[in-house]
Amino acid sequence: MNATPAITMKANNPRTGEADYEFAVSSPGDIAAEAVRLRAAQPAWEAMGPEGRAEVLLRLADAIEAAAPSIAAALTVDTGRGAVSWIEVQGCVSNIRGWAARGPALFAGLERGPKPSATPGIEIVTEYSAHVLFGAIAPWNFPVILSHIDAIPALMAGSAALVKPSEVTPRFVEPMRAVLAQVPELPLSYVMGGAEAGQAMIEHVDYVCFTGSTSTGRKVAEAAAGQLIPANLELGGKDPMIITASADPEWAAGVALRSSIVATGQACQSIERIYVAREIAELFMTALIGAASEVKLTYPDPNDGHLGPFIFPSQADKVADHIADARSKGADVICGGEIEELGGGRYLRPTVITGVTHDMAIMREETFGPVLPVTIFDDLDVAIAQANYTEYGLSAAVLAGSLDEAAGIAGRLDAGAISLQDGALTSMVGDATNQSRKASGLGPSRMGDSGMLRYLREQAHIRQTGAPLPIDAFAEGQG
Ligand code: NAD
């Protein structure tokens, strides 16, 4: 009998525009079989205890570090970014070492009891065990970091883990599989493919973490509800930055630019709307446009410059649509604004837009490109209301003359994490517990201790230390 040929997918090279990488898609049968294998391996993994698991995770970190050149090289092709790819791989290694260091202490600090109950004669002991099989679904914008950010603490907690990376950026999986072969005790493996593979995976796991767009997040939440499993969602954003009259305009311009355009703006925590006080607006705009004009594309030399190509070519169309919509409604594009096709890749220089209004897509929907729509405000209360006027509540930023002044504004912003006197700090700080608001997410924080504690199920051991009640205690006619 002939074996059924594997279904394959192709991935685009963002620098050349060529679909030059082919990979095998995991079939529903493959995913089911892998889930069975991992479920069988999980009890031994959990039985190793926190210290044993931490030791294996440290070996994983060492193996990734040793293989960093091949992983970063694959990631560089996936994303068109060189330096950021190295930072991503190193960030993944640090994340693993961080959980290996903190995990055992978190377990040691769990409250287990026994503690007395309010019910006489009863004491309570709490036992903790991990969800057996964890599943992660990841996007394409930071493929290595976001494929592992939730899986590593799940492994530390004692779960086995299936990870489905984005089909847009699959190249790093090959070198990562070679790394995993060196750490055979680790119950971690990858599911390859797109939406169908993601949906099939959800059918087999006990807990799902999803990072991606809000529209897909809703589908993941529905599928998880059908399975009655918890879903943590980390979704899109439309992050505002408020810059008050007391802020230094040149400093603010530098912070705003970096926070908006790093990784070509393809980051959930990118600043996507700027609200600047009229008193400093002119100086701010001069500095912003000056700094934007110095930003270089990483073309033709991929090792020189700041802004790489769009990873997902159709993302460039979406960004272009937002700019066209803003133009058609009367906005002024001060610099940038045109998608450039270079060597097969699609690029956009920093695009500063003024005269924006809140009926424009660029002020309401996630743009995910190096675009800075600027609103000049006279009344801080109005600016705060406008900053809160989107369906998103991921993160936000405040730049002011002092930390105290920024803090007074931060608490009024309806978002899960606020950067004060800087922007987009959530991408650099892993231990700030936060919960995304509104359509930007669902569930406990992936950052801070809850990143691991969320995977532990509590089992109550209710101990009778006295005499159990006789049946007569429940007999009728004694009230
Ligand atoms: P996406 O929603 O298109 O895809 C994300 C993942 O979901 C991919 O692996 C994809 O194959 C899978 N998928 C697609 N349809 C599915 C379905 N029906 N069921 C199950 N899985 C499915 O997102 P993207 O375009 O890859 O990533 C960009 C988005 O991710 C942006 O909105 C960005 O803001 C968001 N993001 C959020 C965070 C955060 O922490 N909040 C971080 C990074 C990116």
Side-chain angles (χ1 to χ4, degrees):
M1 203 173 73
N2 288 337
T4 315
I7 296 173
T8 60
M9 283 178 109
K10 284 193 159 185
N12 179 63
N13 178 330
R15 286 197 164 271
T16 64
E18 282 171 26
D20 59 4
Y21 184 81
E22 192 165 6
F23 62 97
V25 171
S26 309
S27 69
D30 295 338
I31 297 168
E34 196 53 24
V36 168
R37 189 187 74 79
L38 288 172
R39 280 188 186 281
Q42 187 272 344
W45 173 246
E46 190 165 27
M48 288 173 82
E51 282 78 13
R53 294 194 293 277
E55 186 271 320
V56 176
L57 286 174
L58 287 174
R59 280 197 282 120
L60 172 71
D62 291 347
I64 293 177
E65 199 163 55
S70 61
I71 301 169
L75 193 57
T76 296
V77 187
D78 268 337
T79 61
R81 309 184 289 231
V84 173
S85 295
W86 275 96
I87 293 171
E88 247 201 276
V89 177
Q90 206 39 252
C92 185
V93 169
S94 306
N95 187 32
I96 297 169
R97 290 194 174 130
W99 280 116
R102 284 156 64 204
L106 283 179
F107 271 95
L110 290 174
E111 201 180 297
R112 294 171 192 275
K115 62 178 182 199
S117 160
T119 305
I122 299 292
E123 60 181 32
I124 298 167
V125 169
T126 306
E127 296 288 346
Y128 297 87
S129 64
H131 286 275
V132 175
L133 184 56
F134 163 83
I137 300 177
W140 46 257
N141 59 326
F142 289 94
V144 166
I145 285 278
L146 294 175
S147 289
H148 301 96
I149 192 166
D150 298 310
I152 295 302
L155 286 158
M156 185 63 238
S159 304
L162 272 174
V163 173
K164 196 203 81 61
S166 169
E167 69 277 26
V168 178
T169 48
R171 291 174 179 82
F172 76 89
V173 171
E174 231 172 283
M176 272 303 294
R177 280 184 170 147
V179 165
L180 292 186
Q182 299 168 43
V183 196
E185 314 93 301
L186 193 73
L188 163 66
S189 55
Y190 300 103
V191 165
M192 303 302 287
E196 294 80 11
Q199 286 286 324
M201 191 189 82
I202 294 169
E203 288 176 21
H204 294 284
V205 297
D206 306 308
Y207 195 118
V208 64
C209 282
F210 170 80
T211 309
S213 62
T214 295
S215 59
T216 308
R218 289 198 165 98
K219 293 178 192 157
V220 168
E222 278 171 24
Q227 297 291 120
L228 289 179
I229 60 168
N232 276 188
L233 310 176
E234 296 286 347
L235 309 175
K238 189 74 200 168
D239 287 6
M241 171 178 273
I242 292 191
I243 305 171
T244 69
S246 60
D248 177 287
E250 275 197 28
W251 162 75
V255 176
L257 183 71
R258 190 214 75 223
S259 310
S260 303
I261 70 165
V262 162
T264 314
Q266 302 163 119
C268 56
Q269 77 289 341
S270 284
I271 294 298
E272 295 218 351
R273 293 174 293 150
I274 293 167
Y275 297 88
V276 60
R278 187 169 301 282
E279 291 88 333
I280 61 161
E282 203 176 321
L283 289 172
F284 171 79
M285 287 303 289
T286 306
L288 182 64
I289 295 159
S293 69
E294 283 168 26
V295 170
K296 289 168 62 180
L297 301 183
T298 63
Y299 184 88
D301 182 353
N303 297 313
D304 184 28
H306 311 92
L307 279 193
F310 284 101
I311 296 173
F312 191 33
S314 60
Q315 183 62 34
D317 295 328
K318 184 178 160 199
V319 175
D321 286 349
H322 279 198
I323 296 170
D325 172 71
R327 271 197 174 109
S328 75
K329 290 176 177 153
D332 297 311
V333 177
I334 308 295
C335 59
E338 302 300 330
I339 303 292
E340 298 176 43
E341 313 269 348
L342 300 166
R346 308 186 79 189
Y347 297 78
L348 178 67
R349 290 176 201 275
T351 297
V352 178
I353 306 183
T354 58
V356 288
T357 51
H358 290 77
D359 62 338
M360 298 174 181
I362 213 148
M363 294 299 282
R364 286 203 324 268
E365 297 168 21
E366 187 178 52
T367 304
F368 229 51
V371 182
L372 300 87
V374 181
T375 301
I376 296 170
F377 70 83
D378 294 298
D379 181 335
L380 180 63
D381 291 338
V382 172
I384 291 171
Q386 289 178 334
N388 289 334
Y389 184 64
T390 69
E391 67 163 332
Y392 295 110
L394 188 68
S395 38
V398 185
L399 305 182
S402 72
L403 205 46
D404 281 350
E405 187 192 341
I409 297 166
R412 299 173 65 193
L413 292 171
D414 194 5
I418 320 292
S419 299
L420 288 81
Q421 305 299 71
D422 204 339
L425 285 176
T426 48
S427 63
M428 301 173 225
V429 178
D431 47 4
T433 304
N434 71 86
Q435 279 171 293
S436 304
R437 297 187 185 180
K438 300 191 275 186
S440 285
L442 182 72
S445 174
R446 66 161 41 145
M447 301 301 188
D449 295 348
S450 94
M452 187 196 87
L453 296 177
R454 61 186 159 156
Y455 302 127
L456 295 179
R457 298 170 299 171
E458 291 176 13
Q459 186 180 56
H461 288 198
I462 306 167
R463 300 180 178 185
Q464 178 61 272
T465 62
L469 288 175
I471 183 65
D472 284 350
F474 302 93
E476 301 295 349
Q478 31 173 8

